[in-house]
Amino acid sequence: QRQMCIRDSYETPLLPTGMMWRFSLFDNYNDQYYVGLDAIEFFDINGKLIDAVSAGAQVQAVPYSVSDVQPDASQQDPRVPSQLLTTGAEHRCGWLAPLARCMTPLERAACVHRVLGAAAQGSTTMGVSFPANNVLLVMFPQPITVSAIK
């Protein structure tokens, strides 16, 4: 038999590189209704902390925060995804959101309408899929290579 040799025109990187980092959160230790983090840190190939705020990173989450299920929307909870990237422990208040699998259909619909904004006005949530688990997205304006994420 004749052996076929496959030649690659690229080199597989040893460390992951990307612009959008997606985290699916399935559960929270000993809490049946909420999931949260106090920070998220990215480290470069030399093991140094990447200043994500200076790098222009943005954070989104679905569900966004506990504000998605609070009956009184006039009081906005400060524990939103953008707090995960703030520098200095004195400025951090973390992020807290309801577990997606514990949300009622009405809460899910309100969350989808908030995410879609004006595009969702007068429409139903049919055709829009709500994630089964909490999703956290960290988006950088250009690709970064990381050695660790904490």
Side-chain angles (χ1 to χ4, degrees):
Q1 277 193 359
R2 197 172 153 192
Q3 286 187 331
M4 181 182 244
C5 181
I6 299 175
R7 297 189 192 275
D8 292 331
S9 61
Y10 63 91
E11 183 178 328
T12 304
L14 296 175
L15 297 173
T17 300
M19 293 174 61
M20 183 183 310
W21 299 83
R22 178 188 168 126
F23 302 91
S24 293
L25 307 171
F26 301 102
D27 212 349
N28 192 7
Y29 178 74
N30 209 21
D31 192 327
Q32 297 177 342
Y33 302 104
Y34 296 98
V35 65
L37 296 171
D38 61 355
I40 190 162
E41 299 172 326
F42 292 83
F43 294 84
D44 68 12
I45 58 175
N46 298 317
K48 290 180 60 178
L49 179 65
I50 296 171
D51 185 353
V53 174
S54 295
Q58 295 185 7
V59 186
Q60 265 307 326
V62 177
Y64 184 74
S65 74
V66 291
S67 298
D68 284 343
V69 293
Q70 286 179 337
D72 182 14
S74 65
Q75 281 187 323
Q76 292 297 318
D77 196 290
R79 296 170 291 183
V80 295
S82 61
Q83 292 295 323
L84 294 173
L85 300 178
T86 57
T87 56
E90 67 276 0
H91 298 299
R92 282 197 178 137
C93 63
W95 166 66
L96 184 67
L99 275 173
R101 62 181 162 80
C102 295
M103 293 175 72
T104 66
L106 187 59
E107 291 169 337
R108 287 172 177 243
C111 181
V112 167
H113 281 288
R114 184 195 56 75
V115 170
L116 295 178
Q121 294 296 329
S123 67
T124 66
T125 58
M126 306 244 335
V128 177
S129 76
F130 191 88
N133 299 303
N134 291 64
V135 174
L136 181 68
L137 296 171
V138 181
M139 299 159 285
F140 288 86
Q142 56 197 16
I144 63 164
T145 300
V146 299
S147 62
I149 300 172
K150 286 183 175 181

